[in-house]
């Protein structure tokens, strides 16, 4: 009898500590303790071994134990129904919670999104294209035939077994692909990663990001180009920004220009970022060359258009005060986590 009472005490402790959660945990508990082959049943069976003068006393203790076990079962069942663990009742709500690590957007993505969203507000829609491209879409259709000296400015990586394939040097390939679809008018903005065979340094890398734009319709003029880009820089850099266009050369635009903005760091006075000129070059642009339109079966007598292209890294370096372009692609968490909460 004494031994039985001791056993009961151990069982009581086990039951108290039982915390397997969920409906399965509750059911397991029921089978072990309250089922037909469970502990309570088998203890009832012990009754016959108890001396008759203590039967009443033991009966009461056993009854107590049964009620205690049933109460625990009910609380497990209830907790399972409410989706909590049985231990939930014991949780100290004043303890700090587990910290869930939150990522952040990459600074290049943030800058790209800023640029793209300004043009989206003007009615441009986003178009994307392949990074592994053929010679036609990256060069030839853009009026850069084989052996054209301007190809040297955009040396890239070729696939040695089949040099007809290369890593695109600009996202202008998307413009060709979109024009070839033959749906006009066309107003697209083309973000993406591009590659050039250049020495890696703090200022340049063998891959970087661009956003290019294209607008083709009847009667599109250089004035439309200027006004669109002027709107863009005001939205991007503020209303006090000044712009200037310098004549330039791209085989796929005629006339071509490069656009500078007044240096936002020194306000045009001259500093080491703008190399003491007061101006920063931010993009190339021009009117789409008639030959490019012809390559895409668009009648240059009827349609005209403008195009522009800019890098994403340079404005990101300026905006976030970063001094080495390589940081963008090293995946160093100590660098990346500094952009948590930045937009
Ligand atoms: N594709 C050019 C470059 O990567 C940029 C550009 C785009 C210039 C469109 C003019 C018009 O350098």
């Amino acid at each position: 009898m004494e031994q039985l009472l001791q056993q009961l005490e151990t069982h009581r402790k086990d039951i108290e500590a039982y915390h397997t959660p969920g409906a399965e945990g509750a059911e397991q508990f029921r089978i072990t303790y309250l089922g037909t082959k469970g502990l309570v049943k088998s203890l009832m069976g012990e009754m016959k071994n108890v001396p008759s003068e203590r039967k009443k006393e033991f009966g009461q203790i056993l009854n107590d134990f049964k009620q205690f076990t049933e109460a625990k079962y009910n609380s497990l069942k209830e907790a399972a129904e409410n989706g909590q663990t049985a231990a939930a009742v014991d949780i100290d709500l004043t303890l700090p919670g587990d910290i869930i690590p939150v990522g952040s957007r990459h600074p290049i993505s943030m800058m790209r999104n800023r640029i793209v969203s300004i043009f989206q507000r003007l009615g441009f829609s986003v178009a994307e294209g392949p990074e592994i491209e053929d010679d036609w879409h990256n060069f030839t259709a853009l009026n850069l035939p084989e052996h054209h000296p301007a190809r040297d400015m955009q040396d890239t990586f070729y696939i040695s077994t089949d040099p007809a394939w290369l890593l695109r040097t600009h996202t202008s390939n998307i413009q060709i692909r979109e024009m070839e679809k033959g749906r006009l008018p066309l107003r697209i903005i083309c973000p993406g990663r591009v590659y050039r065979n250049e020495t890696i340094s703090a200022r340049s890398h063998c891959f970087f990001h661009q956003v290019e734009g294209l607008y083709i319709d009847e009667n599109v003029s250089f004035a439309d180009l200027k006004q669109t880009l002027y709107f863009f820089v005001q939205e991007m850099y503020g209303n006090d920004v000044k712009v200037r266009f310098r004549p330039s050369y791209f085989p796929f635009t005629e006339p071509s220009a490069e656009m500078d903005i007044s240096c936002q760091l020194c306000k045009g006075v001259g500093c080491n970022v703008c190399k003491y000129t007061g101006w920063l070059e931010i993009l190339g642009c021009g009117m789409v060359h008639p030959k490019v339109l012809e390559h895409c079966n668009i009648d240059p007598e009827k349609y005209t258009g403008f195009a522009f292209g800019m890098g994403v890294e340079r404005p990101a370096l300026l905006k976030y005060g970063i001094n080495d372009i390589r940081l963008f692609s090293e995946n160093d968490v100590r660098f990346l986590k500094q952009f948590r909460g930045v937009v």
Side-chain angles (χ1 to χ4, degrees):
M1 169 83 185
E2 297 316 315
Q3 212 184 337
L4 256 174
L5 289 177
Q6 227 167 45
Q7 269 176 25
L8 267 183
E9 210 35 54
T10 321
H11 289 313
R12 207 179 254 272
K13 282 198 183 116
D14 285 350
I15 289 169
E16 230 158 45
Y18 187 95
H19 66 269
T20 311
E24 261 173 53
E27 181 56 10
Q28 194 55 50
F29 182 90
R30 193 192 60 78
I31 294 168
T32 318
Y33 293 104
L34 296 164
T36 38
K37 288 183 185 143
L39 180 76
V40 173
K41 269 270 151 60
S42 84
L43 286 171
M44 296 287 190
E46 294 290 333
M47 240 353 210
K48 58 179 185 298
N49 303 328
V50 175
S52 46
E53 71 278 10
R54 297 193 69 177
K55 271 202 180 8
K56 194 172 167 214
E57 181 199 347
F58 186 69
Q60 238 162 32
I61 292 173
L62 211 53
N63 232 352
D64 240 32
F65 180 78
K66 192 178 167 206
Q67 274 170 16
F68 165 75
T69 312
E70 280 169 351
K72 173 77 181 191
Y73 172 61
N74 287 336
S75 85
L76 281 169
K77 215 166 60 163
E78 207 175 298
E81 278 157 16
N82 294 334
Q84 307 164 334
T85 65
V89 226
D90 300 330
I91 284 177
D92 179 354
L93 294 176
T94 63
L95 286 173
D98 289 340
I99 292 169
I100 301 165
V102 192
S104 58
R105 275 205 203 292
H106 192 281
I108 292 295
S109 304
M110 291 193 285
M111 185 48 73
R112 180 204 56 213
N113 292 350
R114 273 170 75 95
I115 298 171
V116 166
S117 72
I118 295 171
F119 287 102
Q120 278 177 322
R121 274 187 278 143
L122 287 174
F124 285 76
S125 49
V126 173
E128 288 179 312
E131 289 179 26
I132 302 172
E133 187 52 285
D134 55 36
D135 186 279
W136 170 256
H137 291 97
N138 193 80
F139 289 130
T140 308
L142 285 154
N143 201 24
L144 267 153
E146 220 179 319
H147 309 304
H148 192 292
R151 281 200 182 194
D152 288 350
M153 295 193 304
Q154 300 195 2
D155 188 19
T156 184
F157 303 97
Y158 292 87
I159 291 163
S160 53
T161 49
D162 187 355
W165 291 93
L166 48 93
L167 295 181
R168 70 176 175 197
T169 57
H170 45 189
T171 54
S172 309
N173 67 326
I174 306 173
Q175 310 188 3
I176 298 297
R177 288 180 174 276
E178 289 296 314
M179 285 192 280
E180 281 175 342
K181 289 181 185 164
R183 284 195 296 264
L184 295 174
L186 196 59
R187 201 162 15 172
I188 50 167
I189 189 90
C190 315
R193 181 188 285 215
V194 302
Y195 303 81
R196 300 222 181 146
N197 189 0
E198 276 173 25
T199 321
I200 300 169
S201 72
R203 307 289 299 165
S204 72
H205 211 305
C206 60
F207 62 84
F208 55 98
H209 297 77
Q210 276 191 336
V211 177
E212 292 206 356
L214 175 72
Y215 181 24
I216 309 267
D217 202 348
E218 291 178 36
N219 300 320
V220 177
S221 72
F222 202 87
D224 297 317
L225 163 70
K226 281 179 86 171
Q227 191 52 44
T228 305
L229 294 178
Y230 190 50
F231 174 82
F232 165 71
V233 292
Q234 282 194 316
E235 288 294 299
M236 186 82 176
Y237 297 101
N239 287 336
D240 60 343
V241 69
K242 290 193 194 64
V243 298
R244 72 175 186 189
F245 287 82
R246 281 180 293 109
S248 185
Y249 172 75
F250 299 104
F252 32 88
T253 47
E254 182 61 36
S256 306
E258 250 155 289
M259 191 173 99
D260 298 343
I261 56 165
S262 50
C263 178
Q264 292 303 286
L265 291 173
C266 63
K267 300 283 170 217
V269 178
C271 64
N272 63 348
V273 172
C274 62
K275 299 201 188 89
Y276 301 95
T277 61
W279 295 96
L280 291 170
E281 179 196 318
I282 60 157
L283 56 81
C285 56
M287 301 305 291
V288 179
H289 197 292
K291 269 206 175 148
V292 175
L293 295 174
E294 274 169 13
H295 284 154
C296 303
N297 294 321
I298 294 171
D299 180 1
E301 297 298 327
K302 188 169 176 210
Y303 289 100
T304 49
F306 66 73
F308 55 87
M310 68 187 96
V312 180
E313 271 76 357
R314 180 112 42 103
L317 291 174
L318 284 174
K319 173 149 178 68
Y320 303 119
I322 300 163
N323 56 15
D324 192 327
I325 203 169
R326 290 168 290 197
L327 286 165
F328 287 134
S329 51
E330 281 170 351
N331 270 346
D332 189 332
V333 178
R334 290 168 304 177
F335 169 73
L336 295 172
K337 73 179 180 191
Q338 295 177 51
F339 296 92
R340 203 176 285 158
V342 179
V343 280

